[in-house]
Amino acid sequence: MVPDPSVNEPLLRLPDGTVKQVNPLTGTQVWTVPGRADRPLPTPPGSDEPIDPALEGRYCAFCEKRYLDTTPEKARVIAENGGWHTLMGLTAEELDDTVAQFRLIPNLFEIVSVDYWRLNHGLEFSDLALARYAHYASTPGGRDHLAHLRTLRSGHQDPAYAVGSPERHRLVELGFFGGFHDVVVARRHYVDGATRQDQLASSGTLTPSEHREYIDFTVGAIEWMFEMNPLIRNVAAFQNWRSPAGASFDHLHKQVVGVDALGQRREEEIARLARDPDLFQHAILDPVEEHRLHIAETDDAIAFVGIGHLYPSIEVWARRMEATPWELTPTELASWSDLLHAVHAATGSGVPTNEEWHYRPPQEQGRIPLRAVVKWRINTLAGFEGGTKIHINTIDPWTLRDRVARAMGQAAHEGRIAATVRVLVP
């Protein structure tokens, strides 16, 4: 009798070639059937038509010449004199004085709103939020910008942002400075020198140095949320790339969202950690080693094919498991960033992806590693999955391993990824 992998095997290839996976942490069941693993990756709807030069810097609301089409900045990173510098407290009139390589802005359409914290928890606006609001609204440009944002919201069926009492206006505008759903936006819409509309700037097209700053800036935004709001138990950090993966704009950005709950998955992990302090070693790393799913490594991070995900997925883990992201040393975080960047470079900008971060919240204890899961959104869930809870993943783990390793090796040969990355698969 052929063993059922759901009993004790996270990964099993059956005699007919079917591959069955069970995610060791979530129990998700995934099958890959023969004959589908080597299909070409689907190409999302797009265009290879020429870029309109008249739109340079204005392709979407996240672009560098449309700063006033987004919410007021909390911070920006600029490149100057060979280094990176963070600027804060800019007025509307000062936004165009420098070019932001990365911007931290509030999400105009929050998942967890300011009113959620204010009305459900009684959380008051911090002194910092009040001061930033007063500073920004002290100039004519700032006041005009805030009025413009109310107009944007009113165009999306939220009339409270356009009409109402002065006090309501004040509360709404304060929310841009005291909320806990932020966006980290990169500068480029297209790669430098692009001539076609399909030459989008993705994580993998950044330089390794740019990607390190992108990661460091994001980690700082997460840490800031925990410091500013003691009610936050978890900050969800993620990146949706291309519209099939849930992105509103084909412009590189991450999101960080403060939440007052750990979520079912994290609660279950913590409960299991109480019984097995080395859960992540036993449940994930040992099977990955057994089935030879490693792709690449740096001194402080490892990348491998994840087991039992709904979509083909590559995981990037920091080797030191007990640290929160901001507790990693700069060298460790840079090492993790280099490997994550290499995964994106190997994936390519044409593949829709979700990048999900998982890590130990500061209030919790235990060996929970910082890990990013890069999911290729190339298959569509349908009726079979809904009825059986068995998910069809079109690329088996070994084929995915080899594809990514080959592409990463080519990227290394071309000098597009950091020299710290070592590809482990020939």
Side-chain angles (χ1 to χ4, degrees):
M1 177 180 294
V2 176
D4 182 350
S6 65
V7 176
N8 52 19
E9 293 288 338
L11 182 58
L12 185 69
R13 190 192 298 272
L14 302 183
D16 76 326
T18 297
V19 175
K20 291 188 176 184
Q21 306 175 54
V22 176
N23 188 293
L25 293 179
T26 67
T28 301
Q29 297 185 50
V30 178
W31 291 9
T32 303
V33 298
R36 298 174 66 87
D38 292 320
R39 297 189 306 165
L41 294 179
T43 302
S47 172
D48 59 0
E49 296 179 1
I51 296 170
D52 183 353
L55 294 177
E56 183 179 357
R58 302 180 183 276
Y59 304 111
C60 77
F62 285 168
C63 285
E64 61 192 278
K65 294 182 180 179
R66 294 180 61 179
Y67 289 151
L68 293 177
D69 283 346
T70 65
T71 50
E73 289 181 15
K74 292 185 174 180
R76 71 166 53 181
V77 172
I78 63 171
E80 189 175 70
N81 299 324
W84 303 100
H85 303 277
T86 301
L87 304 180
M88 302 175 66
L90 297 181
T91 64
E93 287 83 354
E94 295 171 323
L95 292 177
D96 292 323
D97 292 349
T98 56
V99 176
Q101 300 300 320
F102 303 100
R103 307 172 70 213
L104 181 66
I105 59 175
N107 194 304
L108 187 60
F109 305 102
E110 301 157 296
I111 293 175
V112 182
S113 70
V114 171
D115 280 349
Y116 179 90
W117 298 104
R118 190 172 63 87
L119 300 179
N120 295 335
H121 287 290
L123 185 70
E124 299 292 341
F125 289 109
S126 68
D127 290 342
L128 177 61
L130 292 168
R132 286 179 172 176
Y133 172 57
H135 176 65
Y136 198 80
S138 67
T139 70
R143 292 190 292 273
D144 289 345
H145 185 202
L146 294 173
H148 172 61
L149 294 175
R150 292 200 303 270
T151 301
L152 287 179
R153 284 298 296 257
S154 67
H156 291 79
Q157 291 76 50
D158 192 351
Y161 276 74
V163 300
S165 68
E167 179 59 21
R168 175 58 184 168
H169 282 183
R170 178 179 177 275
L171 288 173
V172 167
E173 293 171 359
L174 261 172
F176 298 136
F177 301 86
F180 299 97
H181 181 172
D182 292 341
V183 185
V184 183
V185 181
R187 173 176 65 84
R188 299 177 186 86
H189 190 101
Y190 296 107
V191 298
D192 292 340
T195 58
R196 303 190 315 272
Q197 293 180 26
D198 59 356
Q199 294 177 293
L200 293 166
S202 67
S203 284
T205 67
L206 299 176
T207 67
S209 176
E210 288 172 333
H211 193 265
R212 288 181 178 187
E213 192 63 25
Y214 186 31
I215 293 299
D216 189 63
F217 197 41
T218 303
V219 168
I222 296 170
E223 183 182 16
W224 177 87
M225 283 195 180
F226 280 116
E227 291 177 348
M228 293 302 297
N229 185 348
L231 298 171
I232 287 177
R233 297 191 65 197
N234 186 34
V235 176
F238 57 93
Q239 176 175 288
N240 300 331
W241 174 248
R242 307 298 300 263
S243 55
S248 300
F249 299 117
D250 285 339
H251 189 123
L252 182 61
H253 65 282
K254 298 188 193 297
Q255 299 186 58
V256 289
V257 186
V259 187
D260 60 352
L262 292 177
Q264 180 179 351
R265 176 175 177 178
R266 188 60 48 78
E267 296 277 11
E268 291 173 350
E269 289 176 359
I270 291 172
R272 291 179 63 182
L273 275 167
R275 301 189 297 271
D276 180 3
D278 289 319
L279 169 68
F280 288 91
Q281 177 69 46
H282 298 152
I284 304 294
L285 296 184
D286 288 350
V288 164
E289 178 71 27
E290 177 186 353
H291 294 285
R292 302 179 63 189
L293 298 181
H294 288 100
I295 299 171
E297 66 179 5
T298 58
D299 287 348
D300 300 296
I302 53 174
F304 53 85
V305 175
I307 297 173
H309 292 287
L310 303 186
Y311 305 98
S313 300
I314 305 100
E315 302 194 22
V316 181
W317 287 31
R319 291 187 188 273
R320 186 154 67 95
M321 290 194 185
E322 68 276 8
T324 64
W326 51 93
E327 290 172 339
L328 294 172
T329 67
T331 298
E332 288 173 324
L333 189 61
S335 184
W336 185 76
S337 171
D338 287 349
L339 196 51
L340 180 58
H341 172 257
V343 168
H344 282 294
T347 298
S349 60
V351 179
T353 60
N354 297 123
E355 177 189 300
E356 302 171 359
W357 289 24
H358 304 268
Y359 58 93
R360 178 179 63 80
Q363 305 95 327
E364 304 300 329
Q365 301 297 320
R367 289 169 52 80
I368 302 176
L370 168 63
R371 59 201 193 277
V373 183
V374 178
K375 298 182 177 181
W376 292 7
R377 295 291 298 274
I378 60 174
N379 46 290
T380 302
L381 304 183
F384 175 79
E385 289 87 348
T388 65
K389 299 303 179 184
I390 297 172
H391 300 274
I392 303 300
N393 190 325
T394 56
I395 305 179
D396 72 66
W398 300 280
T399 300
L400 179 61
R401 175 199 65 187
D402 294 343
R403 279 192 180 191
V404 175
R406 285 195 300 268
M408 195 178 292
Q410 182 64 29
H413 177 73
E414 295 170 358
R416 293 188 285 114
I417 62 175
T420 57
V421 175
R422 300 183 292 273
V423 181
L424 300 176
V425 182

